[in-house]
Amino acid sequence: MPSKSPLHTIIQCLAVAAGGFVLVLSWLPDSRLGELPFFPSGFGAWLDQGGAVATMRTGLAMAVAAALIHAARWVESPWKSGGVAGALLLAAEGGQLLLPSRQADVGDLAWGALGIVIGVGVACLRFKLPRGPHDPGASPQGPDDQPQA
């Protein structure tokens, strides 16, 4: 098996961190991100203004997480990457059902699904990953562009 490049390892770590970040932020008792010390105040205030932006922020987070999940190359298919990101979205929103101060929202699911499509699409275009051994555009090399033995 070819060794992984340092960039690939970094992307995998970022994907895990993004997934964890989505879950932690979704399961906080208070959904106001501007109150968190690590969010820039202006960005947090914009995200907390309510209305469409409050729901859209799920899509933003899921786009980043989905792009990193696909770029991490744990699964080769964009459909499977979308499925992994979709499971993350369902866990994030489903966990809110257990929190009395939070409520799961169909709008969050819709924006999250759109974010997943955009994130995986951007990752496919940016990283030009082959879809599998049957893909005519697939190179004879491995996923890290290392020759296979």
Side-chain angles (χ1 to χ4, degrees):
M1 178 176 201
S3 64
K4 295 178 183 174
S5 71
L7 177 61
H8 186 213
T9 302
I10 290 169
I11 290 173
Q12 287 181 329
C13 290
L14 288 173
V16 169
F21 198 61
V22 165
L23 291 176
V24 166
L25 292 180
S26 295
W27 296 343
L28 287 174
D30 187 355
S31 65
R32 291 176 296 178
L33 300 178
E35 302 293 320
L36 299 173
F38 53 84
F39 261 91
S41 60
F43 185 58
W46 178 73
L47 290 172
D48 291 340
Q49 69 182 335
V53 174
T55 305
M56 182 184 64
R57 65 188 185 179
T58 302
L60 293 171
M62 288 309 303
V64 172
L68 288 168
I69 287 168
H70 188 65
R73 302 177 185 172
W74 288 309
V75 293
E76 294 179 14
S77 162
W79 294 105
K80 290 179 183 176
S81 295
V84 171
L88 174 65
L89 174 63
L90 290 175
E93 288 298 310
Q96 290 181 3
L97 295 173
L98 304 173
L99 298 171
S101 62
R102 299 290 299 264
Q103 74 181 58
D105 184 8
V106 175
D108 284 345
L109 290 173
W111 277 106
L114 179 62
I116 290 169
V117 169
I118 291 170
V120 171
V122 166
C124 285
L125 293 173
R126 172 63 182 97
F127 295 102
K128 297 180 181 112
L129 300 175
R131 288 175 277 178
H134 63 281
D135 184 7
S139 69
Q141 297 175 336
D144 290 317
D145 296 324
Q146 303 286 333
Q148 292 182 349

